[in-house]
Amino acid sequence: MPRPELPLLSDLEQLIRRAAGQVDARVVCEAQAGLARLPVYAITLGNPDPAVPAIGFFGGVHGLERIGAEVVIEYLRSLITRLRWDGLLHRQLESLRMVFMPLVNPAGVWRGTRANGRGVDLMRNAPVEALEQVPFLLGGQRLTRWLPWYRGPRGAAMEAESAALCEVVERELLPRRFSLSLDCHSGFGLRDRIWFPFAHTAEPIRHLPEVHALKEIFDQAHAHHSYVFEPQSLSYLTHGDLWDYLYLRASSAPDRVFLPLTLEMGSWLWVKKNPRQLFSRHGMFNPGKAHRQQRVLRRHMAWLDFMARAAASCALWLPDPAARAHHYEIAMRDWYGAHTAAGAA
């Protein structure tokens, strides 16, 4: 059957062809789109040596949030263009592995739905149960795929797209002593937020000092940024979060640091500027005007590039044991409203 027309996927494939010989690209699974199938790509570049740190960029997990995929594709395009002339980028790639899955849920993008082609919300699909009460429906439900935030049948294997994302992370990121990931989404509030785990519990993660140290160097390098750094649990709790699942798997190795972050672009601001977007399903999650889309794409490039530089230079900013205690105390006070003199666990 002919493949459905999907401009974002065609754009990504054209970019892959343009970068032939400079990046490695593989189809990690195929997504069901009606009677047809759509490929899900993973693109890698940089040093494959597991001794060097790595960073992964992910987009399009929710099909409605097209802007997330566009941000990741635009950053990949920038890197591929710079490979022709940017000697500093080449030197950075000698000490860094970069991984891209810009379009995790192509069937959802094609259908214009949050869920994949089988009606499953990929970000509620991991085998992780919330330890505290979650919001009804929003926190994940198993009632029916005709309602939003459907997790899939109880006891079923993860969806092909979810499993592929996990396979890429476990293959490319988790074997390393340090890795970062950034998953780009939209649709929550008036501010751009940087979320870190947990989503299944309000308890802090073990690597809270490392997250705070990362935030601190970003604050210092970009003093006038408008991002809000916070644990996702401050906003809401969910079942089945893929990044909680992968973080817990990574944490089984005590000497491994894996920091999965989510860029949650504040799409309510776009609606505030153009209330007519409320009458469009896509308008709630994407900038409706061309100039606003261009502004969004420009705005987040500095953050993605900072993440890559921070991963490559992690040895210079990761806190030592004494500094961990300091970062832990500040993070607990600022994010959890707690004061502790005990230091990091």
Side-chain angles (χ1 to χ4, degrees):
M1 181 176 178
R3 195 176 85 177
E5 183 65 27
L6 185 56
L8 265 181
L9 180 58
S10 299
D11 189 24
L12 177 60
E13 290 178 329
Q14 183 179 16
L15 196 56
I16 291 170
R17 289 191 294 269
R18 176 180 162 193
Q22 298 176 300
V23 304
D24 294 317
R26 64 187 179 102
V27 175
V28 291
C29 75
E30 290 187 326
Q32 180 180 322
L35 298 178
R37 312 285 289 184
L38 293 171
V40 177
Y41 287 96
I43 301 104
T44 55
L45 63 159
N47 193 340
D49 186 347
V52 306
I55 183 164
F57 296 97
F58 302 83
V61 171
H62 292 140
L64 272 176
E65 300 167 24
R66 189 178 58 241
I67 188 64
E70 290 170 339
V71 165
V72 177
I73 290 172
E74 190 62 27
Y75 183 55
L76 177 60
R77 189 192 319 278
S78 170
L79 291 176
I80 288 171
T81 301
R82 287 163 53 197
L83 284 173
R84 298 200 308 268
W85 57 266
D86 191 341
L88 288 177
L89 175 60
H90 281 274
R91 286 199 286 277
Q92 177 176 299
L93 290 172
E94 291 173 3
S95 57
L96 179 67
R97 182 68 161 171
M98 301 187 79
V99 182
F100 290 83
M101 284 185 72
L103 198 53
V104 176
N105 182 11
V109 174
W110 174 66
R111 295 169 69 233
T113 61
R114 176 183 172 95
N116 72 352
R118 288 161 42 87
V120 176
D121 186 329
L122 301 180
M123 203 44 70
R124 303 290 186 271
N125 189 225
V128 177
E129 301 298 319
L131 301 181
E132 292 117 55
Q133 187 171 357
V134 304
F136 178 63
L137 295 184
L138 173 64
Q141 53 87 14
R142 296 194 189 276
L143 301 172
T144 172
R145 67 188 183 94
W146 301 109
L147 290 173
W149 304 294
Y150 180 54
R151 301 182 62 193
R154 188 178 303 278
M158 280 195 286
E159 294 295 297
E161 302 94 329
S162 305
L165 184 151
C166 291
E167 185 272 331
V168 168
V169 171
E170 291 173 340
R171 172 176 172 168
E172 293 285 353
L173 303 185
L174 298 197
R176 300 163 191 274
R177 296 198 60 167
F178 180 84
S179 57
L180 287 170
S181 70
L182 183 69
D183 185 13
C184 295
H185 289 255
S186 68
F188 186 87
L190 291 167
R191 301 281 302 276
D192 294 330
R193 285 173 157 78
I194 307 298
W195 279 344
F196 59 89
F198 285 123
H200 78 287
T201 176
E203 292 298 312
I205 62 173
R206 181 158 64 93
H207 296 104
L208 193 64
E210 285 74 15
V211 172
H212 189 267
L214 179 67
K215 174 188 181 297
E216 183 177 81
I217 63 170
F218 184 66
D219 289 344
Q220 293 167 351
H222 299 272
H224 304 291
H225 75 81
S226 60
Y227 295 106
V228 177
F229 276 75
E230 61 185 11
Q232 183 178 333
S233 61
L234 288 185
S235 298
Y236 57 87
L237 298 178
T238 74
H239 300 294
D241 186 89
L242 288 174
W243 298 112
D244 279 19
Y245 172 71
L246 289 163
Y247 176 78
L248 291 169
R249 288 183 66 83
S251 297
S252 63
D255 61 342
R256 181 188 299 159
V257 178
F258 170 55
L259 304 180
L261 306 181
T262 296
L263 167 59
E264 190 74 20
M265 288 174 267
S267 66
W268 297 357
L269 183 61
W270 309 326
V271 174
K272 181 181 177 182
K273 291 181 177 179
N274 184 16
R276 285 178 297 177
Q277 290 186 208
L278 282 170
F279 299 100
S280 164
R281 184 166 53 175
H282 286 91
M284 284 290 294
F285 301 95
N286 301 282
K289 303 286 187 179
H291 71 275
R292 290 197 184 112
Q293 177 174 0
Q294 293 166 5
R295 187 181 303 135
V296 169
L297 294 178
R298 290 195 303 269
R299 174 176 184 157
H300 297 297
M301 291 303 103
W303 164 241
L304 272 65
D305 204 48
F306 164 82
M307 286 279 287
R309 289 168 177 261
S313 306
C314 61
L316 299 177
W317 61 266
L318 281 172
D320 61 23
R324 286 192 88 242
H326 171 72
H327 283 289
Y328 181 80
E329 184 165 359
I330 297 174
M332 288 296 293
R333 181 196 68 203
D334 291 351
W335 287 324
Y336 297 92
H339 176 76
T340 175

